[in-house]
Amino acid sequence: MPMITKTVKIDENNIDEALIKEAGEIIKRGGLVAFPTETVYGLGGDALNPESSKKIYAAKGRPSDNPLIVHIYRIEDLYEIVEEVSDNAKKVMDAFWPGPLTMIFKKKDKVPFETTGGLDTVAVRFPIHPTAMAFIEASGGFVAAPSANISGRPSPTLAKYVCEDLDGRVDMIIDGGNIPIGLESTIVDMTGEKPMILRPGFVSREMLEEVLGEVCVDPTILDANSTERPKAPGMRYRHYAPKADMIIVRGDSDRVVAKIKEMGQNKECTVLCVSEHVNEFAGMKVKDVGSEKDYNEIAASLYRVLRECDDENTALILSESFSDKGIGAAVMNRLIKAAGHKIIDV
Ligand code: TXA
Ligand code: MG
């Protein structure tokens, strides 16, 4: 049954306490609220209520073996839901919380298996977005939230995309305007011998290694041919997928430009490229993803650009490939998934 969705605007610099309280009451009653975070919009429900988690899966159309991230608004609450916090985890918390980083811990019984997709571990994130923090506090402190998109679509970085996907499926949508980072949080598994990155994000491997020394990366993340199962169940699914066919062209930048021009000749297609190359593709339909000098800009625009291609019914997307250093690793991870691993090396 579709429900009536109330959409409200909240300015993070001047938070409307009455609206936040109303949003928190919805969560406490077992309802769903979409809200802004610094990474992407989230689809929130009470993390400690199994019925709420079931509703989240239903609203997203997501397989229920794909665990949810539990969002907190203060460090002390971590100890309520996880068994053990290692010295390494404390170092990571000191350096990056609150912020765009999620850690996996052994869970306490208090966290229902409905929230963790049946796993005995739980993913925990302490976001830094002021509206997210106020909302989590008003909700009782533990908000389970996947990205606020229908399963398989790019994560929303603007409220209009949340509305497109979730209108009629959630009780409230909080419009917090533009989202600064634009890619989901880095996920680090702290339950093994060595910390392991399960999903790259704004907090890069290099940044984590400065705090922890050596950090492993789940080998399935960038390797299209890997036969291993990704450790984050969600990384298995074809994610972040635009409706169009998408191909990435990788290699030396002159050759990449030449190859894309050749492939796009006399074809209806859209080219994704850095600002510096826009003029190279004169006569073709081009989307500027941002300057190659600022990967944060590319990260922030990627999902919006993919959604625009959907809106314009693009049949074929030809994308340049980007550096995989720093946040570039996260950009390339999402881009390769969006393309269903279709890459041409030149
Ligand atoms: O930035 C973010 O993390 C956003 C915002 C809303 O906070 N949330 C987000 O959630 O990206 P979602 O559900 O779209 O992605 C969560 C990922 C999935 O790939 C899931 O498999 C993995 O985290 N995950 C969750 N719990 C896990 C666990 N216990 N062990 C391994 N992977 C886990
Ligand atoms: Mg997601």
Side-chain angles (χ1 to χ4, degrees):
M1 270 292 281
M3 53 177 122
I4 305 281
T5 301
K6 178 173 180 176
T7 301
V8 301
K9 275 200 166 83
I10 296 185
D11 175 358
E12 66 186 78
N13 299 311
N14 182 16
I15 292 179
D16 184 325
E17 295 300 336
L19 282 178
I20 285 289
K21 186 156 180 273
E22 188 182 336
E25 292 301 326
I26 293 173
I27 297 295
K28 287 179 178 167
R29 283 202 310 269
L32 303 180
V33 176
F35 64 102
T37 81
E38 70 276 21
T39 55
V40 297
Y41 276 88
L43 163 51
D46 181 353
L48 306 184
N49 179 348
E51 295 309 315
S52 297
S53 294
K54 286 188 203 159
K55 279 192 195 167
I56 292 176
Y57 288 111
K60 251 183 98 77
R62 172 169 178 158
S64 60
D65 65 345
N66 188 0
L68 307 174
I69 296 176
V70 178
H71 295 66
I72 57 175
Y73 75 99
R74 52 179 186 188
I75 297 275
E76 61 216 74
D77 288 342
L78 174 68
Y79 297 86
E80 301 279 316
I81 53 173
V82 312
E83 281 296 345
E84 197 201 321
V85 181
S86 65
D87 289 342
N88 269 342
K90 284 183 188 144
K91 285 187 202 161
V92 174
M93 279 154 54
D94 283 347
F96 303 111
W97 273 8
L101 177 123
T102 298
M103 273 187 281
I104 313 275
F105 300 91
K106 282 257 177 305
K107 81 171 187 72
K108 279 193 172 153
D109 291 343
K110 196 169 170 179
V111 185
F113 285 112
E114 283 79 359
T115 301
T116 65
L119 298 176
D120 56 12
T121 54
V122 60
V124 186
R125 168 155 136 71
F126 178 178
I128 197 168
H129 194 292
T131 305
M133 286 168 145
F135 165 64
I136 297 163
E137 180 173 10
S139 302
F142 303 95
V143 173
S147 47
N149 52 285
I150 295 285
S151 203
R153 299 213 64 201
S155 298
T157 50
L158 289 169
K160 70 169 179 174
Y161 297 134
V162 180
C163 294
E164 245 175 62
D165 282 15
L166 298 180
D167 191 35
R169 293 169 175 257
V170 297
D171 299 283
M172 183 189 266
I173 295 172
I174 301 176
D175 179 349
N178 206 10
I179 295 293
I181 293 179
L183 294 179
E184 305 86 344
S185 61
T186 307
I187 302 180
V188 195
D189 185 354
M190 304 306 290
T191 62
E193 218 158 273
K194 282 205 187 118
M196 185 187 275
I197 298 176
L198 306 189
R199 179 173 75 183
F202 180 83
V203 176
S204 64
R205 178 184 195 166
E206 294 85 339
M207 286 157 80
L208 280 162
E209 286 188 333
E210 267 185 41
V211 177
L212 290 175
E214 200 197 344
V215 174
C216 315
V217 179
D218 181 349
T220 64
I221 283 179
L222 281 175
D223 181 3
N225 303 318
S226 175
T227 50
E228 273 179 60
R229 281 163 73 91
K231 300 207 172 39
M235 302 295 278
R236 261 201 312 273
Y237 300 102
R238 185 179 173 207
H239 242 198
Y240 325 115
K243 290 173 196 151
D245 230 5
M246 180 168 167
I247 302 171
I248 301 167
V249 182
R250 181 169 62 186
D252 174 73
S253 111
D254 290 346
R255 284 209 293 273
V256 166
V257 169
K259 183 71 183 175
I260 291 180
K261 279 186 185 161
E262 179 199 312
M263 290 171 70
Q265 240 174 26
N266 308 320
K267 265 208 199 94
E268 281 250 10
C269 66
T270 298
V271 177
L272 307 192
C273 69
V274 293
S275 317
E276 287 81 356
H277 294 167
V278 167
N279 291 335
E280 304 265 5
F281 300 105
M284 297 174 80
K285 189 160 181 198
V286 175
K287 295 222 179 264
D288 179 348
V289 296
S291 168
E292 62 187 349
K293 295 192 191 71
D294 183 1
Y295 267 70
N296 290 333
E297 197 187 319
I298 297 180
S301 65
L302 181 65
Y303 284 147
R304 175 182 50 79
V305 165
L306 292 177
R307 289 240 176 199
E308 284 172 9
C309 289
D310 277 357
D311 293 345
E312 294 160 14
N313 290 316
T314 309
L316 175 65
I317 302 171
L318 300 173
S319 178
E320 294 189 326
S321 153
F322 311 107
S323 154
D324 58 7
K325 295 277 171 300
I327 194 178
V331 172
M332 283 311 295
N333 170 258
R334 308 311 194 270
L335 197 68
I336 288 171
K337 282 170 149 287
H341 291 278
K342 287 193 284 299
I343 305 172
I344 294 179
D345 284 301
V346 291

